[in-house]
Amino acid sequence: MRRAICLAMGLVLLGTAGCGGKRIDLEAERTKLRQLDLEWAAAFSAGQDVDRIISYWSDDAILLPPGQPAVSGKPAIRDYVARSLQLPGFRASWEPIQISLSPGGTVAYMFEKNQITMNDSTGASRTTHGKGLAVWRKDADGAWRCVAEAWNEDPAPNAPGGAAP
């Protein structure tokens, strides 16, 4: 019995250390991801280089924009981003709030807060504040890429669940 417990504990420890017993510095990976996400947000905010913007997504990524169909794969994401950047008054920005990593340091999820601005049907600029969830994966080449992303708008201040007046 004692041998089985020791073996099980050894397997758990080996599994949390990553492949080959290599110890992953999760805090260093968290710092890399935070910096990468901030660079991505800056590139998106500049809005001039669609290829740079989409380079942060994996080839098999999926977006779940609010009130719209899923956008799957890099060609569809490229089109979605290019069309978004052409909307009158469109701007988007975000920042990471919380980053959690798998024990092996190869998958992460990130909570973010965001702001999206665009002109409404009357031409007036409208900014919404929201939150998002992004799932990142460390690919075989060692680079972190976003594989799934969803976001939505925060409730209005006087709506149920919104901020108090």
Side-chain angles (χ1 to χ4, degrees):
M1 179 71 162
R2 175 180 258 177
R3 185 174 181 188
I5 292 171
C6 288
L7 179 60
M9 289 183 68
L11 289 173
V12 167
L13 290 174
L14 181 63
T16 60
C19 295
K22 182 180 174 188
R23 181 155 165 68
I24 305 297
D25 184 345
L26 295 180
E27 194 55 41
E29 291 301 317
R30 191 175 287 110
T31 299
K32 282 183 203 175
L33 269 169
R34 180 177 305 283
Q35 184 60 40
L36 190 63
D37 196 52
L38 291 171
E39 289 171 10
W40 187 16
F44 205 102
S45 214
Q48 299 170 351
D49 188 349
V50 173
D51 290 328
R52 180 169 179 224
I53 293 167
I54 67 164
S55 72
Y56 292 87
W57 279 294
S58 66
D59 290 340
D60 61 342
I62 185 166
L63 306 182
L64 302 171
Q68 299 178 39
V71 181
S72 298
K74 219 171 214 180
I77 291 171
R78 185 183 202 298
D79 182 56
Y80 179 83
V81 169
R83 284 184 293 114
S84 295
L85 293 172
Q86 293 173 357
L87 293 170
F90 181 83
R91 289 185 316 278
S93 63
W94 65 87
E95 65 180 282
I97 301 302
Q98 180 183 351
I99 302 170
S100 298
L101 282 101
S102 66
T106 58
V107 177
Y109 63 90
M110 186 180 307
F111 290 108
E112 301 166 324
K113 66 178 181 177
N114 62 48
Q115 291 183 40
I116 299 172
T117 301
M118 67 180 77
N119 295 351
D120 66 15
S121 60
T122 68
S125 180
R126 180 175 180 262
T127 299
T128 60
H129 299 267
K131 60 218 163 282
L133 176 65
V135 179
W136 292 73
R137 172 182 67 212
K138 189 179 265 192
D139 282 343
D141 64 0
W144 284 101
R145 292 191 178 83
C146 184
V147 295
E149 191 171 6
W151 62 97
N152 64 14
E153 188 175 331
D154 286 339
N158 58 354

